[in-house]
């Protein structure tokens, strides 16, 4: 697959907490990260390496203390709060380990939610939500609430929700971390389908070397710095 323009362009990213206090803490020490359209990139690292902090910055959930970050042509550092909310809603599809579904709401309504915030008309968003739920193999469960679904089913609904606004980037944070190996395999197969068939740009944050190997490029984070980059061994459909 030919790669397009740079979607993520983060340079010299530093993140500090408790700035100016005696216990000031620097978590990220000058990160450079470029991801091109259509790439499938894994960021791996042990607990405490800075993965969550970096994910929050990539996902525009937090801003760096220093550095520059362009996401799909938008200067995140100069964007106002309401602009950042729009970026998160329209440009990024989030998939978290904890699913983050609304418990008393049907799977269909959960998938519709980002589109509702984006102002997509009711009929159009319902149609797209149904198509996305079918795409992840959950058509028969779309009217069930999350507490009626297994972990793997919840994660498939979360992936469908992430695709609602056709985002430029899918950001998956330990998406199989709470799943057994067979269920996790099915979830990863969906990500590969989105990448290969729809050309989606995906950043996978994981502690699993096996999952990282399936990605095109693997970046290793340690103590707030990238210490290595290499190609993955590839993905073979099961």
């Amino acid at each position: 697959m030919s790669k397009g323009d740079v979607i993520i362009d983060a340079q010299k990213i530093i993140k500090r907490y408790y700035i100016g206090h005696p216990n000031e803490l620097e978590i990220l020490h000058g990160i450079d990260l470029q991801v091109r359209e259509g790439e499938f990139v894994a960021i791996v690292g042990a607990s405490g390496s800075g993965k969550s902090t970096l994910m929050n910055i990539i996902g525009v959930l937090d801003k760096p203390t220093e550095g520059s970050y362009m996401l799909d042509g938008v200067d995140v550092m100069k964007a106002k709060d309401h602009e950042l909310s729009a970026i998160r809603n329209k440009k990024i599809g989030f998939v978290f380990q904890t699913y983050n579904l609304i418990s008393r709401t049907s799977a269909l309504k959960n998938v519709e939610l980002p589109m509702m915030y984006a102002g997509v008309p009711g009929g159009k968003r319902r149609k797209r939500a149904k198509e996305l739920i079918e795409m992840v193999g959950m058509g028969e469960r779309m009217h069930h609430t999350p507490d009626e679904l297994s972990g793997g089913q919840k994660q498939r609904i979360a992936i469908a929700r992430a695709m609602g606004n056709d985002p430029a980037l899918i950001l998956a944070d330990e998406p199989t971390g709470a799943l057994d190996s067979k269920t996790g395999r099915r979830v990863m197969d969906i990500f590969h389908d989105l990448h290969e068939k729809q050309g989606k740009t995906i950043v996978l944050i994981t502690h699993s070397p096996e999952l990282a190997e399936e990605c095109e490029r693997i970046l290793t984070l340690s103590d707030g710095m990238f210490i290595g980059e290499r190609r993955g061994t590839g993905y073979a459909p099961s």
Side-chain angles (χ1 to χ4, degrees):
M1 175 183 288
S2 62
K3 303 306 170 195
D5 297 333
V6 174
I7 281 189
I8 293 174
D9 188 7
Q11 297 186 24
K12 297 180 173 57
I13 297 294
I14 291 173
K15 183 62 182 180
R16 298 189 189 99
Y17 294 97
Y18 318 118
I19 296 167
H21 291 76
N23 58 341
E24 179 174 305
L25 183 64
E26 186 170 294
I27 304 295
L28 301 178
H29 314 297
I31 293 281
D32 290 329
L33 175 64
Q34 284 76 40
V35 177
R36 291 188 175 274
E37 183 179 2
E39 276 196 290
F40 196 157
V41 177
I43 297 175
V44 298
S47 178
S49 62
K51 294 197 308 295
S52 295
T53 302
L54 181 58
M55 187 217 70
N56 286 339
I57 289 171
I58 294 170
V60 198
L61 297 166
D62 197 4
K63 281 187 175 182
T65 309
E66 295 178 25
S68 66
Y69 181 24
M70 300 286 291
L71 174 64
D72 199 24
V74 175
D75 188 340
V76 170
M77 302 298 284
K78 293 180 180 176
K80 296 179 172 61
D81 285 347
H82 72 278
E83 294 169 324
L84 294 175
S85 294
I87 290 168
R88 285 191 293 269
N89 183 241
K90 295 181 180 178
K91 288 188 179 292
I92 307 170
F94 293 97
V95 182
F96 297 103
Q97 178 177 340
T98 51
Y99 322 124
N100 287 12
L101 300 176
I102 297 174
S103 60
R104 294 184 179 86
T105 303
S106 71
L108 180 64
K109 292 289 187 185
N110 267 283
V111 175
E112 282 187 54
L113 203 58
M115 291 181 275
M116 185 182 76
Y117 289 140
V120 178
K124 185 176 179 182
R125 69 172 183 256
R126 268 188 297 278
K127 181 174 184 288
R128 177 156 175 79
K130 287 178 180 178
E131 290 170 353
L132 291 168
I133 290 171
E134 293 283 359
M135 180 193 75
V136 298
M138 288 289 292
E140 294 180 358
R141 312 285 284 180
M142 70 174 67
H143 298 295
H144 289 65
T145 57
D147 61 0
E148 298 173 310
L149 303 175
S150 69
Q153 290 172 334
K154 290 176 188 175
Q155 196 59 293
R156 282 189 276 161
I157 292 299
I159 294 170
R161 179 188 57 190
M163 289 291 294
N165 289 322
D166 194 22
L169 169 70
I170 295 176
L171 187 56
D173 183 24
E174 300 282 6
T176 65
L179 307 175
D180 63 70
S181 58
K182 183 178 178 181
T183 309
R185 173 73 270 149
R186 185 162 189 180
V187 166
M188 282 300 294
D189 287 345
I190 294 172
F191 283 121
H192 285 293
D193 270 357
L194 292 173
H195 173 239
E196 294 173 4
K197 295 178 182 176
Q198 298 191 29
K200 282 295 170 190
T201 309
I202 303 174
V203 173
L204 171 72
I205 295 169
T206 181
H207 69 275
S208 167
E210 294 82 13
L211 294 185
E213 283 296 339
E214 299 179 14
C215 302
E216 297 173 316
R217 191 155 59 102
I218 303 167
L219 300 167
T220 302
L221 192 66
S222 178
D223 295 327
M225 296 181 291
F226 283 130
I227 59 169
E229 176 177 340
R230 60 188 178 81
R231 306 297 295 179
T233 55
Y235 163 69
S238 53

